[in-house]
């Protein structure tokens, strides 16, 4: 492949679909067990891999992407949950640091050099209804209550947001000496404490299953309004994420 390749790691179909819509014409291939989507933009080759949810899958998919595309830069993109007030649904966080939160212990997965890129994006999107903010991705193995995470993350950590993949992508990229940019759109703000666990709505492969969602709602009807609200918020987050991602690709 050409040397001007940009690799993009995205976990879930719900995160991939708005990207496919915005970037348009693409070709689908396979890298190992992972689906890969190929685009062209401004003479650049974009190779997006859908990793699935979780640290192990993100690490494996990033390795496959590097082997497949030999990218000069990697982008980890997707949704995240806000931990503290200040980030609204639809805001997009450009991470300056990737952390891991495991069994209450916070550890460093890498520093991401993005100050100039953050300033440029923040200025570019200054008139938009959402904002670009610097922040910190905090990767967990499962859904962690926002209140619990808030207590376990030091107060000086800038705009922490919860996800389940970025640290694995960051560690893999660092091992191969490839620069990484990590962006996360807020799909659920700090005030939105999830009323269900990941295990309740996913299968053994951590894929979301409609049948399990329906069972979950039947057992606890209180989560139906939240599910509806989250679906709406996810659409907004997906739209904003792809707008920023397109501009980011043009700037890198």
């Amino acid at each position: 492949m050409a040397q001007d390749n940009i690799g993009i790691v995205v976990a879930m179909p719900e995160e991939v679909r708005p990207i496919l819509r915005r970037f348009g014409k693409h070709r689908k291939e396979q890298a190992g067990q992972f689906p890969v989507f190929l685009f062209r933009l401004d003479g650049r080759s974009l190779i997006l891999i859908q990793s699935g949810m979780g640290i192990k899958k993100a690490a494996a998919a990033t390795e496959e992407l590097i082997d497949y595309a030999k990218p000069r830069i990697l982008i980890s993109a997707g949704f995240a949950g806000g931990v503290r007030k200040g980030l609204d649904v639809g805001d997009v966080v450009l991470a300056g640091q990737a952390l891991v939160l495991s069994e209450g212990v916070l550890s460093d997965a890498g520093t991401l050099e993005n100050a100039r890129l953050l300033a440029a994006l923040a200025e570019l999107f200054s008139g938009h209804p959402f904002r670009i903010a610097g922040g910190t991705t905090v990767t967990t193995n499962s859904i962690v209550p926002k209140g619990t995470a808030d207590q376990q993350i030091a107060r000086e950590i800038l705009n922490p947001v919860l996800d389940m993949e970025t640290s694995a992508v960051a560690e893999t990229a660092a091992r191969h000496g490839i620069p990484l940019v990590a962006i996360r759109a807020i799909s659920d703000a700090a005030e939105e404490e999830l009323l269900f666990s990941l295990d309740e709505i996913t299968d053994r492969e951590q894929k979301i299953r409609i049948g399990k969602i329906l069972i979950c709602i039947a057992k606890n009807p209180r989560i139906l309004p939240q599910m509806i609200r989250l679906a709406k918020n996810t659409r907004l987050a997906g739209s904003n994420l792809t707008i920023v991602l397109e501009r980011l690709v043009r700037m890198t």
Side-chain angles (χ1 to χ4, degrees):
M1 291 215 174
Q3 292 300 308
D4 200 18
N5 291 346
I6 297 175
I8 305 171
V9 183
V10 179
M12 301 299 292
E14 294 78 9
E15 297 164 323
V16 172
R17 281 194 288 268
I19 297 174
L20 298 185
R21 286 195 296 269
R22 186 166 188 91
F23 282 73
K25 186 178 178 180
H26 63 276
R27 186 171 81 253
K28 185 177 180 182
E29 295 187 359
Q30 198 79 10
Q33 63 177 312
F34 303 101
V36 170
F37 304 88
L38 293 87
F39 309 83
R40 295 285 296 175
L41 181 67
D42 291 351
R44 300 173 177 86
S45 293
L46 313 182
I47 304 93
L48 183 152
I49 194 164
Q50 182 181 310
S51 67
M53 195 159 39
I55 291 174
K56 290 183 179 180
K57 288 184 178 180
T62 305
E63 289 284 2
E64 289 283 4
L65 179 59
I66 291 170
D67 183 62
Y68 177 91
K70 308 295 189 294
R72 64 174 174 82
I73 189 169
L74 284 167
I75 300 173
S76 175
F79 303 147
V83 176
R84 294 171 183 152
K85 292 182 179 180
L87 293 173
D88 296 325
V89 169
D91 286 346
V92 177
V93 170
L94 183 64
Q97 186 177 22
L99 302 176
V100 182
L101 181 61
S102 179
E103 298 181 353
V105 178
L106 201 64
S107 56
D108 190 8
T111 299
L112 310 179
E113 300 295 337
N114 69 0
R116 290 184 179 179
L117 188 58
L118 174 61
L121 285 170
E123 181 178 359
L124 184 65
F125 287 96
S126 61
H128 283 65
F130 64 91
R131 72 185 184 105
I132 306 291
T136 307
T137 57
V138 180
T139 300
T140 64
N141 279 312
S142 60
I143 293 177
V144 175
K146 307 282 183 68
T148 301
D150 188 17
Q151 293 175 1
Q152 295 171 341
I153 299 171
R155 304 311 299 179
E156 62 267 21
I157 298 297
L158 175 66
N159 288 334
V161 298
L162 300 176
D163 77 351
M164 297 180 66
E165 295 85 29
T166 300
S167 69
V169 181
E171 289 173 350
T172 306
R175 224 172 20 250
H176 288 269
I178 301 174
L180 173 69
V181 177
I183 58 171
R184 292 279 156 174
I186 302 302
S187 57
D188 48 293
E191 300 80 12
E192 184 82 69
E193 195 69 76
L194 299 182
L195 301 175
F196 54 90
S197 71
L198 192 62
D199 292 339
E200 290 180 282
I201 62 171
T202 60
D203 60 18
R204 292 182 180 179
E205 297 298 316
Q206 290 189 317
K207 294 179 180 178
I208 295 174
R209 296 300 183 192
I210 295 298
K212 298 197 74 172
I213 290 175
L214 294 176
I215 292 171
C216 189
I217 292 171
K219 290 180 178 178
N220 182 8
R222 290 191 310 132
I223 72 171
L224 179 57
Q226 183 176 68
M227 290 280 192
I228 295 171
R229 186 167 57 253
L230 288 175
K232 179 181 177 181
N233 291 348
T234 296
R235 287 193 294 272
L236 175 61
S239 175
N240 293 352
L241 178 71
T242 56
I243 291 170
V244 176
L245 179 61
E246 181 181 12
R247 180 54 60 181
L248 178 61
V249 166
R250 294 181 188 276
M251 295 171 66
T252 54

